[in-house]
Amino acid sequence: MTSREIGRLKPSPRSYHWLFVWGVLNALLAVGIVKRGWGHGVGMMIISSALVGGYMFFIDISHKIWWTADQIWWRGWDYLAIKPMRHTVRIGELTEVTAANHPGNFVPGKPFDRFLLVSRADTITILPSFHRREELEDLLRLIHEKRSEAFTDPQVLEFMDGGFAEWWRYR
């Protein structure tokens, strides 16, 4: 088993969307305060907005995925987790690499919103829009070289060949 890290997924510009949303909400709050004055509950609104926006941004940028020649690791926070979660899969034990669509994120015409790296022991979920495409393609090619039989979904192969660029173009 090799323990030297050979790759890591880097965050895409989309990772910073909650920071943008947080900025817009606080700008709207500031405009409201200027127009209406400092009324009852405004301080609580500002504190709540800062906490919720900061928490969502923290969750989105906290996911880390890295790999060696033999294993893939995922570490991050879930929305309701008290401590970081960790998942690990061995490339040689992967049973399925597939694209999936979470029902809560459904957008008409969007083919999928995540990749699942499934083994008997664990599953790693990768959200393509939160990572740069080159590194994700490198990881998928590495897996394909070692476990091509695990690629049961043609959408994953199409993504590796440059498909779906209108949805996941982050470089």
Side-chain angles (χ1 to χ4, degrees):
M1 180 165 88
T2 308
S3 62
R4 191 176 71 82
E5 180 182 310
I6 51 176
R8 145 180 320 266
L9 294 183
K10 295 181 184 106
S12 76
R14 176 152 183 331
S15 298
Y16 301 97
H17 79 281
W18 279 115
L19 194 57
F20 173 75
V21 169
W22 180 80
V24 169
L25 287 175
N26 283 321
L28 290 172
L29 279 173
V31 168
I33 291 169
V34 168
K35 282 188 137 190
R36 294 183 175 242
W38 190 271
H40 182 69
V42 172
M44 184 56 79
M45 281 188 350
I46 292 171
I47 292 169
S48 298
S49 171
L51 288 175
V52 169
Y55 183 67
M56 298 305 286
F57 177 65
F58 169 73
I59 294 299
D60 284 348
I61 65 166
S62 71
H63 293 181
K64 306 287 184 226
I65 299 172
W66 68 97
W67 60 92
T68 64
D70 302 322
Q71 277 185 292
I72 305 164
W73 287 272
W74 178 96
R75 186 187 71 220
W77 292 78
D78 190 23
Y79 292 104
L80 301 174
I82 296 172
K83 61 182 183 178
M85 301 180 344
R86 291 176 174 83
H87 297 280
T88 305
V89 295
R90 293 190 183 279
I91 294 174
E93 296 174 2
L94 284 172
T95 58
E96 188 175 17
V97 177
T98 185
N101 222 343
H102 190 280
N105 295 335
F106 178 72
V107 175
K110 189 174 185 177
F112 54 88
D113 69 348
R114 62 195 62 226
F115 291 120
L116 301 175
L117 309 179
V118 182
S119 74
R120 284 183 175 77
D122 209 347
T123 298
I124 291 180
T125 301
I126 300 173
L127 302 173
S129 60
F130 285 97
H131 301 288
R132 295 191 185 189
R133 187 170 176 139
E134 294 93 357
E135 290 89 5
L136 183 51
E137 288 173 353
D138 289 345
L139 172 60
L140 292 172
R141 283 189 193 97
L142 174 73
I143 297 169
H144 192 265
E145 286 174 13
K146 297 183 179 230
R147 291 287 293 168
S148 60
E149 63 274 9
F151 284 75
T152 58
D153 190 342
Q155 289 182 325
V156 178
L157 296 171
E158 187 176 342
F159 182 87
M160 285 172 42
D161 291 335
F164 307 112
E166 65 278 5
W167 288 102
W168 293 282
R169 61 186 166 273
Y170 302 109
R171 299 230 172 249

